[in-house]
Amino acid sequence: MKKIPQTILFLLLLVFTFVAAENSTAHRGGGGADEFHVGVILDLGSLVGKVSLASISLAVEDFYSVHPNYSTKLAIHVRDSMGSEVQAVSAAIELRENYKVQAIIGPQKSSEAAFISKLGSVTQVPIVSFTATSPSLTYDSSPYFVRATLNDSVQVNSIASLIKAYGWREVVLVYDDTDYGRGILPHLIDALQHSDTYVPYHSGISLSATSEDIMQELYKLMAMQTRVFIVHMSSTRASLIFTMAKDAGMMSKGFVWIITNGLANIIDLLSPSAIEAMNGVIGVRFHVPKSQKLDTSFLIRWNKIYQRYNPNKLPLNKSISIVGLWAYDTVWALAQAAEKVGVSGNRNKRLQPHKNSTCLDSLAISINGTELLTEIVQNKFRGISGNFDLTERQLQVSVLQIINVVGGTWRHVGFWTSKNGLSRYLNQNELETTGSSASMPDLNPVTWPGESTEIPRGWEFPASGKKLRVGVTSSAYPEFISTSKDPVTNATRVSGLSIDIFENALKRLPFALSYEYQAFDTDGNSTSSRSYNDFVYQVYLQRYDIAVGDITIIYNRSLYADFTIPYTESGVGMIVPVKEKVDTNMWIFLKPLSQGMWFRSFIFIIYTRIAICLLEYLSGNRYLHEDMLESFLSRIVHRVWKIVLLALASIYTASFASILTVQRLSPALTDIHELQKQGGYVGFHQGSYMEGLLVDIGFDRSKMRSYDTPDNFHAALSNGVENGGVDALVLDVPYIKLFLAKYCKGYTMVGPIYKSAGFAFALPKRSPLLAELSKAIINITGGDTIIQIEKKWIDQNSCQHDEEMDGSGAITFGSFRGLFLLTGFVTACSILAAFLMCHCKKQEESRHIQDADKGNEENGDCNDDIDNQATILVPDSPNTNSISDGVSAEPFTQTNSCQALSAHFVH
Ligand SMILES: *[C@@H]1O[C@H](CO)[C@@H](O)[C@H](O)[C@H]1NC(C)=O
Ligand SMILES: *[C@@H]1O[C@H](CO)[C@@H](O)[C@H](O)[C@H]1NC(C)=O
Ligand SMILES: *[C@@H]1O[C@H](CO)[C@@H](O)[C@H](O)[C@H]1NC(C)=O
Ligand SMILES: *[C@@H]1O[C@H](CO)[C@@H](O)[C@H](O)[C@H]1NC(C)=O
Ligand SMILES: *[C@@H]1O[C@H](CO)[C@@H](O)[C@H](O)[C@H]1NC(C)=O
Ligand SMILES: *[C@@H]1O[C@H](CO)[C@@H](O)[C@H](O)[C@H]1NC(C)=O
């Protein structure tokens, strides 16, 4: 893990120990009996160092003014590491040598802590650092190391959920190439991968990098399509990077910068110019809960001390950074532990005194080191930074705060807890958080770089300033796409269905995209010499940002490019000539009408006959003849029925004729495997993937013939195999539709025989444009636009297709319901009318009978019939019983005459 070779460090250590040892005797035993010596190692040149020093001094003052009776008193020995690991280590040794320090606060940097914590383990001196956050420092390898802060891996999940919440898919990491910077990488990349975020690049910026190096790196970042950067750097480097990024135009609209807590925690301490440059940045920091101790009087005292150490600096009027608070609390924790352990145990054992060595034998093991460590770790108290609990040998903090740097200060955006994720307020109702977590979590609005309030989409494609290079190639079907070169401007001109869909899709994107067409076959001599596979491959070679055309999605191509969703229907079909075939079925005459139709027609014939019969009888005519119908009503019924029969007959004739025609035209071939077995010839479009498909099916290459235009297809099919033609053509269904729209006579489509995904546009793998474009294409294909575009390019009316007709095409009763309803209704009405008329007549006559009281036999015809029927239809008729006796012979006569008539009618 450590990058500084330990051997070199060790050699340097020896030298420094020698020097330090010179003075060691002079100071030995210099401390008072109840002084508890504690070393402090900070980089006093840095802001964090200055703030921490002030806090530590204030903490010692405060602690012993609160606890005046304590028997121990911390004696603080401050050393400046000057940002160098070697200095820090030598300071540690010197402190141990000269003052027998029993604990060390610091060091400030993770890389320093790496070695000093090892030293602490050897000498059993607790090392308490509130700034060394690199997760590469583990407690297993350094048991005396205590982290009075959190390791950097704690925040990675919050950063990942932030990225997910704003819908970004790719991020670039920018970090210091130091122990601190690198420490977070594995954890951060893990967390990002968990939330499906891709890290195309991470940029480690070396401490020795010059301004030019950094500028070059920034330009490199700017040339990439990702626009989300996570910055994990020390404050000095970060200030530089942000100032330079601003100069490079990378702090403008569309960019996203996220800072980790290392920087966000001390945002208040940064110089105004750095804060100014960071406008729009968002960050994750530890949340400092409001506390009564943290009042203005505290801040005033703190600032006084700060001024004492930094007389030429302006006072920090803004709130003191959390690092300062942790420094303060660390001192309190240590002072309490010191009181418990006491200085009485302040005796030291020589480190391996028998050993003949020159350096480390001057270091001694701290006798009560273990005890002190236990006390520090077990001491929980309410400090100024919140609950100060080091039980896990690091601080227990579960709430992180999301901030937005804006207008020279920062604003609260939301909180993150491992339990509830992102939310605007703490203690937010759990239901509320889960409810909103489905979409965008409820956070305060953020002002993004460039003073933009619109959430950046996180990528730029193509990179800024460039135009989208759209590769186009002429298709054999100009309806799909055709390209030409403008003779004057040399610009590529394109048109076709694919282009219309592409341009329509671009219009539906939520952002504007400038693009230019680049023809794949600019030499123009042959469109077919290079296949579509090559065309798609250009996308992989990054010659184009997108390939537009009638490109079928196939497995081979998907290996090196991603496809949008298809914009045409899918499938591979076969075009074959139709052949004539005579149907020899003896029952073919039944086919025009469906079974139900035949049956119902038959029922209606009988019904109508009976009705006419009945009507004639009612009017007194016993000898039925079609031409001699006497009743007016029966004539109406007869006429209507004749009309229905006429309609039925003409439909039958038409349907029968069309069945005979269609049946004669059937595909000459229905199965491609059959064709292959028979050794037939098959044609395909030159350069298309069909060639591979046909080989896969098992066709011999000598049986495959390629053509490049629809006219040639037509010629090949019509010429026949003997003249160099083919038996069938295998094409994508969209081409077949186009072909049949042009040459429908004599050809038909068989299939789809294979599935294919349809036509789509090809983009480079992982292109951020892919999802957006696919969404737009779904919007087109799911709506009316596609119909209009297809109408424009594929003229479906130029060639009328014969309506397909098979067994199920027979005419059913449904289409004749109207006519049958008409005749049925007229018949029923006529019968009803006849009954009513007879009934009235009868009543009149019975009145006559009652009046005359005799002679009713003369007019009996009608009466008898009515009575007879009334028995059936109107059982409660008052007249029924009185007369029924005298008419028993009549129905027989009626049936007879009806039968006779039926027989007559049939002949
Ligand atoms: C040793 O002590 C002298 C005087 O006390 C001082 O000037 C010198 O800097 C010290 N050297 C070291 C390495 O601390
Ligand atoms: C870092 O902190 C997390 C959360 O408290 C903890 O699970 C992990 O073990 C820590 N890692 C190291 C190296 O201290
Ligand atoms: C210490 O080193 C000296 C010379 O290097 C040697 O003579 C002596 O025996 C050594 N003593 C021990 C205890 O190893
Ligand atoms: C067009 O292309 C030809 C050949 O590449 C070149 O000679 C000519 O200058 C170009 N014209 C323009 C306007 O770019
Ligand atoms: C896919 O590629 C392989 C090897 O390049 C080739 O053998 C096969 O025919 C191709 N398939 C199609 C459908 O193009
Ligand atoms: C296309 O997008 C518009 C705007 O978002 C929407 O109103 C419309 O319903 C979408 N149409 C289809 C077919 O998805």
CSV table of all heavy atoms in Angstrom, one decimal, residues 31-49:
chain,number,residue,atom,x,y,z
A,31,GLY,N,10.0,17.3,32.2
A,31,GLY,CA,8.6,17.6,32.5
A,31,GLY,C,8.4,17.4,34.0
A,31,GLY,O,9.1,16.7,34.7
A,32,GLY,N,7.3,18.1,34.5
A,32,GLY,CA,6.9,18.0,35.9
A,32,GLY,C,6.3,16.6,36.2
A,32,GLY,O,6.0,15.9,35.3
A,33,ALA,N,6.1,16.3,37.5
A,33,ALA,CA,5.6,15.0,37.9
A,33,ALA,C,4.2,14.7,37.4
A,33,ALA,O,3.9,13.6,37.0
A,33,ALA,CB,5.6,14.9,39.4
A,34,ASP,N,3.3,15.8,37.4
A,34,ASP,CA,2.0,15.5,36.9
A,34,ASP,C,1.7,16.0,35.5
A,34,ASP,O,0.6,16.2,35.0
A,34,ASP,CB,0.9,16.1,37.8
A,34,ASP,CG,1.3,17.4,38.3
A,34,ASP,OD1,2.2,18.0,37.7
A,34,ASP,OD2,0.6,18.0,39.2
A,35,GLU,N,2.8,16.2,34.7
A,35,GLU,CA,2.6,16.5,33.3
A,35,GLU,C,2.5,15.3,32.5
A,35,GLU,O,3.3,14.4,32.6
A,35,GLU,CB,3.8,17.4,32.9
A,35,GLU,CG,3.6,18.8,33.2
A,35,GLU,CD,4.5,19.7,32.4
A,35,GLU,OE1,5.6,19.3,32.0
A,35,GLU,OE2,4.2,20.9,32.2
A,36,PHE,N,1.5,15.3,31.7
A,36,PHE,CA,1.3,14.2,30.8
A,36,PHE,C,1.7,14.6,29.4
A,36,PHE,O,1.0,15.4,28.8
A,36,PHE,CB,-0.2,13.8,30.8
A,36,PHE,CG,-0.5,12.5,30.2
A,36,PHE,CD1,-0.6,11.3,30.9
A,36,PHE,CD2,-0.8,12.4,28.8
A,36,PHE,CE1,-0.9,10.1,30.3
A,36,PHE,CE2,-1.1,11.2,28.2
A,36,PHE,CZ,-1.2,10.0,29.0
A,37,HIS,N,2.8,14.1,28.9
A,37,HIS,CA,3.3,14.6,27.7
A,37,HIS,C,2.6,14.0,26.5
A,37,HIS,O,2.5,12.8,26.3
A,37,HIS,CB,4.8,14.3,27.6
A,37,HIS,CG,5.6,15.0,28.6
A,37,HIS,ND1,6.0,16.4,28.5
A,37,HIS,CD2,6.1,14.7,29.8
A,37,HIS,CE1,6.6,16.7,29.5
A,37,HIS,NE2,6.7,15.7,30.4
A,38,VAL,N,2.2,15.0,25.6
A,38,VAL,CA,1.5,14.5,24.4
A,38,VAL,C,2.1,15.3,23.2
A,38,VAL,O,2.3,16.5,23.3
A,38,VAL,CB,0.0,14.9,24.5
A,38,VAL,CG1,-0.7,14.7,23.1
A,38,VAL,CG2,-0.7,14.1,25.5
A,39,GLY,N,2.5,14.5,22.2
A,39,GLY,CA,3.1,15.2,21.0
A,39,GLY,C,2.0,15.5,20.0
A,39,GLY,O,1.0,14.8,19.9
A,40,VAL,N,2.1,16.6,19.3
A,40,VAL,CA,1.2,17.0,18.3
A,40,VAL,C,2.0,17.2,17.0
A,40,VAL,O,2.9,18.0,17.0
A,40,VAL,CB,0.4,18.3,18.6
A,40,VAL,CG1,-0.4,18.8,17.5
A,40,VAL,CG2,-0.4,18.1,19.9
A,41,ILE,N,1.6,16.5,16.0
A,41,ILE,CA,2.4,16.6,14.7
A,41,ILE,C,1.4,17.1,13.6
A,41,ILE,O,0.4,16.4,13.3
A,41,ILE,CB,3.0,15.3,14.3
A,41,ILE,CG1,4.0,14.8,15.3
A,41,ILE,CG2,3.7,15.5,12.9
A,41,ILE,CD1,4.6,13.5,15.1
A,42,LEU,N,1.6,18.3,13.2
A,42,LEU,CA,0.7,18.9,12.2
A,42,LEU,C,1.5,19.6,11.1
A,42,LEU,O,2.7,19.9,11.3
A,42,LEU,CB,-0.2,19.9,12.8
A,42,LEU,CG,-1.2,19.4,13.8
A,42,LEU,CD1,-1.8,20.6,14.6
A,42,LEU,CD2,-2.3,18.6,13.2
A,43,ASP,N,0.9,19.8,10.0
A,43,ASP,CA,1.5,20.5,8.9
A,43,ASP,C,1.1,22.0,9.1
A,43,ASP,O,0.0,22.4,8.7
A,43,ASP,CB,1.0,20.0,7.5
A,43,ASP,CG,1.6,20.8,6.4
A,43,ASP,OD1,2.4,21.8,6.7
A,43,ASP,OD2,1.3,20.6,5.2
A,44,LEU,N,1.9,22.7,9.8
A,44,LEU,CA,1.5,24.0,10.3
A,44,LEU,C,1.4,25.0,9.2
A,44,LEU,O,0.8,26.1,9.3
A,44,LEU,CB,2.4,24.5,11.4
A,44,LEU,CG,2.2,23.7,12.7
A,44,LEU,CD1,3.2,24.3,13.8
A,44,LEU,CD2,0.8,23.8,13.2
A,45,GLY,N,1.9,24.7,8.0
A,45,GLY,CA,1.8,25.6,6.9
A,45,GLY,C,0.4,25.5,6.3
A,45,GLY,O,0.0,26.4,5.5
A,46,SER,N,-0.3,24.4,6.5
A,46,SER,CA,-1.6,24.2,5.9
A,46,SER,C,-2.7,24.8,6.8
A,46,SER,O,-2.6,25.0,8.0
A,46,SER,CB,-1.9,22.8,5.7
A,46,SER,OG,-2.2,22.1,6.9
A,47,LEU,N,-3.8,25.1,6.2
A,47,LEU,CA,-5.0,25.7,6.9
A,47,LEU,C,-5.5,24.8,8.0
A,47,LEU,O,-5.8,25.2,9.1
A,47,LEU,CB,-6.1,25.9,5.9
A,47,LEU,CG,-6.2,27.3,5.3
A,47,LEU,CD1,-7.2,27.3,4.2
A,47,LEU,CD2,-6.5,28.3,6.4
A,48,VAL,N,-5.6,23.5,7.6
A,48,VAL,CA,-6.0,22.5,8.6
A,48,VAL,C,-5.1,22.5,9.8
A,48,VAL,O,-5.6,22.4,10.9
A,48,VAL,CB,-6.1,21.1,7.9
A,48,VAL,CG1,-6.4,20.0,8.9
A,48,VAL,CG2,-7.2,21.1,6.8
A,49,GLY,N,-3.8,22.6,9.5
A,49,GLY,CA,-2.9,22.6,10.6
A,49,GLY,C,-3.1,23.8,11.5
A,49,GLY,O,-3.1,23.6,12.7
